Amino acid sequence: MNITKKDIDKLNAVLTVEISKEDYSAKVEKVLNNYRKTANIPGFRKGHIPMGMVKKQYGKAVLVEEVNKILQDALQKFLTEEKLDVLGNPLPKNEAEINWDTDDYTFEFELGLAPKFTVDLKGKEVVQYKIVADDEMLNNQVKTIRKQYGKLISKKEVEKGDEITGTFTSTEKEIEKKTTLSTEEIAGKKQLGSLIGAKVGETVTLKTKGMFADDHDNQKYLGVAHDEAHALDIEVTFKVEEVNKREMAELNQELFDKLFGEAVVTSEEELKAKIKEDAEGQFAQQSDQKLLNDVVESLIDNTKFDLPKEFLQRWIAMTGEKRLSEEDAKAEFERSEKGLRYQLIEGKIRTENKLQVTFEELKDHSKNMIKAQMAQFGQTDPSDEELESIAARILSNKEEVERLSEQLNTAKLLNFFKENAKLKTKEITYDKFIKEAYA
């Protein structure tokens, strides 16, 4: 057997594999002998079938199968030994020209080669958001807590700030939805005016257009579909069934203990500090995800290299469930090109900086996850044997291993970007972050 590689350019090459009779004849003879021993052919006893008949019936199929096995093994071995970084898989070039009636065969394969490039993490500056909980957010959270743990005082008539329970009805849209909402959630002045002063048992007519500041509230309170919630413009009736004034809870030790455990928080200042800590911990996750997305986009935009586009389009056309037309394959390549570019960039970063996840890291990660889950249920000091046993069960599940590996891989990459990318920290409130980051 002989394999040679001819470079067409930096991104394309052709492999030529020459297979002679001596490469495959012994394997073919062995398979045919096994067929002779086991085949059932009418008129012959098992094991006594003439070899000529076996070759006539099975010879060509066995030859093709064994040569293809040798071919695939040779290709993989060559690519590995030569350390060729290829995209997709080798594509047969002269498959239709092979004459299986000869003794020697020559196969040609097109290769798409991965490009050579460098990754510059210190190039374009990327914003790293530090989201802070400002005084307005903290005060609103305190107000929400006081409302949540406050007392409801039943009333007969609606006043501003009350909570109303009632049923929205519309024959036109087949709406009949019982709900509870606060007058503070009514944005429309006319609708609010119609509700203020309404007594329990009375029915008021309201226009849905502009009733809520966010059209999604039509879905929440009226029960309409998401698509209908936007710009809903009908009249609905609302029967007032219950009116309550929520008396806010006092900020005292009893409330603090109920929220965080005995003596963990002892003042309003400590309450706000605790809320701030918890909120900013959650904000950090959103900030990290935004940072990861932005660094990825920046790397894709600023890391320049060519791809063997024509080869990849042919590969896409030939390797799917059904063969694609040239036009469809080109469209599919254009859809996937950005993802492929990032796969190459990420792969290079991980390889050059040894960011692959080890089994020990995976096991430690699963044990820490188990400890955190057990702590939620009051088990704060599990034994190492117990953790090892549970971790072993988790790591025996292929899907769990893939999920945990993805978590660790993402965390490693994020930490690497934080340490090595060119970042500019920007302190911002949550509301401004949402507007700026996702506008």
Side-chain angles (χ1 to χ4, degrees):
M1 184 190 310
N2 185 42
I3 303 180
T4 56
K5 171 175 165 279
K6 179 182 178 182
D7 290 328
I8 307 302
D9 53 40
K10 290 182 179 180
L11 298 174
N12 295 275
V14 173
L15 278 188
T16 302
V17 184
E18 297 172 338
I19 297 179
S20 62
K21 188 173 182 178
E22 64 184 26
D23 295 320
Y24 63 81
S25 58
K27 290 182 170 63
V28 171
E29 285 296 321
K30 183 179 179 181
V31 173
L32 290 175
N33 276 321
N34 287 334
Y35 271 58
R36 187 185 181 205
K37 294 174 185 177
T38 58
N40 287 311
I41 296 180
F44 296 93
R45 284 187 297 147
K46 188 178 287 188
H48 291 78
I49 305 168
M51 180 56 82
M53 184 173 286
V54 173
K55 286 184 176 180
K56 184 177 180 181
Q57 189 161 344
Y58 302 109
K60 182 66 70 67
V62 171
L63 170 66
V64 172
E65 184 176 358
E66 292 305 312
V67 169
N68 275 317
K69 285 180 182 177
I70 293 169
L71 184 60
Q72 294 305 317
D73 289 344
L75 281 173
Q76 290 306 315
K77 185 178 179 182
F78 183 84
L79 295 177
T80 302
E81 289 179 350
E82 296 296 317
K83 297 179 180 177
L84 293 178
D85 194 1
V86 298
L87 302 179
N89 294 311
L91 287 181
K93 187 178 180 184
N94 66 331
E95 191 174 32
E97 301 170 10
I98 302 299
N99 182 2
W100 291 101
D101 293 324
T102 60
D103 291 335
D104 301 329
Y105 310 105
T106 299
F107 299 90
E108 291 182 342
F109 292 88
E110 294 179 88
L111 297 183
L113 304 176
K116 306 294 183 186
F117 60 91
T118 57
V119 179
D120 182 13
L121 283 162
K122 297 295 185 182
K124 190 175 179 182
E125 193 173 67
V126 176
V127 174
Q128 180 179 20
Y129 291 97
K130 181 182 179 183
I131 310 171
V132 296
D134 59 356
D135 289 341
E136 182 181 359
M137 172 177 276
L138 296 178
N139 290 333
N140 286 336
Q141 282 294 101
V142 170
K143 185 178 178 182
T144 299
I145 289 171
R146 292 184 66 192
K147 280 187 174 182
Q148 183 180 349
Y149 288 89
K151 292 188 292 185
L152 287 177
I153 301 172
S154 180
K155 298 176 61 180
K156 298 294 184 184
E157 184 177 316
V158 179
E159 292 182 289
K160 198 170 182 180
D162 287 346
E163 291 182 9
I164 317 165
T165 297
T167 300
F168 281 109
T169 306
S170 166
T171 305
E172 178 187 348
K173 291 291 183 179
E174 297 182 349
I175 295 171
E176 189 167 350
K177 179 74 161 55
K178 185 170 182 176
T179 190
T180 298
L181 73 166
S182 168
T183 58
E184 293 177 354
E185 291 166 283
I186 304 296
K189 291 181 179 179
K190 289 185 178 179
Q191 293 93 328
L192 182 60
S194 298
L195 283 169
I196 299 298
K199 296 179 173 56
V200 173
E202 290 183 350
T203 298
V204 295
T205 299
L206 305 169
K207 286 191 174 182
T208 58
K209 186 177 181 180
M211 180 157 60
F212 301 110
D214 185 347
D215 284 343
H216 286 96
D217 284 346
N218 288 322
Q219 183 181 10
K220 178 179 178 182
Y221 294 120
L222 276 70
V224 296
H226 180 270
D227 292 341
E228 287 188 297
H230 294 277
L232 184 69
D233 188 5
I234 60 172
E235 283 191 347
V236 292
T237 59
F238 182 75
K239 184 177 180 180
V240 180
E241 296 164 8
E242 188 178 332
V243 180
N244 291 291
K245 178 181 179 182
R246 188 172 288 274
E247 186 178 87
M248 292 200 291
E250 291 184 29
L251 291 176
N252 55 27
Q253 196 59 48
E254 181 183 356
L255 178 61
F256 299 151
D257 291 348
K258 191 180 292 185
L259 291 169
F260 302 106
E262 189 173 349
V264 174
V265 169
T266 59
S267 66
E268 183 177 351
E269 289 71 24
E270 289 181 8
L271 171 63
K272 288 183 177 180
K274 183 70 174 170
I275 294 171
K276 183 178 178 69
E277 178 187 353
D278 292 346
E280 292 181 353
Q282 294 177 23
F283 296 159
Q285 296 177 16
Q286 290 179 264
S287 174
D288 283 348
Q289 186 60 58
K290 175 64 176 167
L291 174 63
L292 186 61
N293 293 344
D294 288 349
V295 173
V296 166
E297 287 294 326
S298 178
L299 287 173
I300 293 171
D301 291 341
N302 296 290
T303 306
K304 305 299 182 183
F305 53 83
D306 292 326
L307 290 171
K309 292 185 179 181
E310 291 77 11
F311 168 82
L312 289 170
Q313 287 170 24
R314 288 195 297 275
W315 177 71
I316 289 170
M318 296 174 65
T319 55
E321 290 184 9
K322 63 177 183 178
R323 186 162 183 141
L324 299 180
S325 67
E326 184 178 331
E327 185 179 348
D328 288 342
K330 183 179 179 182
E332 181 60 33
F333 170 75
E334 289 172 352
R335 282 193 291 270
S336 59
E337 181 180 2
K338 197 172 183 179
L340 174 58
R341 287 182 176 278
Y342 182 64
Q343 283 180 16
L344 292 171
I345 294 168
E346 182 183 333
K348 188 175 182 69
I349 290 172
R350 288 191 184 280
T351 300
E352 291 182 350
N353 299 280
K354 299 178 181 178
L355 298 180
Q356 291 81 1
V357 172
T358 66
F359 179 76
E360 284 303 313
E361 288 173 328
L362 197 60
K363 187 166 77 170
D364 289 343
H365 178 64
S366 63
K367 287 166 72 173
N368 290 332
M369 179 187 71
I370 294 160
K371 284 173 71 174
Q373 290 176 346
M374 293 176 78
Q376 292 178 353
F377 296 96
Q379 295 175 268
T380 55
D381 192 25
S383 67
D384 196 54
E385 292 79 7
E386 193 175 6
L387 292 173
E388 286 280 348
S389 175
I390 299 173
R393 287 204 302 273
I394 290 173
L395 296 178
S396 67
N397 184 311
K398 183 181 177 182
E399 290 181 357
E400 277 298 296
V401 170
E402 289 176 354
R403 185 179 68 83
L404 294 174
S405 296
E406 187 176 346
Q407 288 179 358
L408 269 181
N409 273 315
T410 300
K412 274 195 165 190
L413 199 61
L414 177 64
N415 289 333
F416 177 80
F417 288 155
K418 285 182 176 180
E419 293 170 4
N420 295 280
K422 187 177 181 181
L423 305 178
K424 175 185 177 182
T425 302
K426 182 174 184 178
E427 193 169 291
I428 195 169
T429 65
Y430 183 72
D431 287 342
K432 288 182 179 178
F433 168 76
I434 295 298
K435 290 178 182 176
E436 184 171 318
Y438 300 105

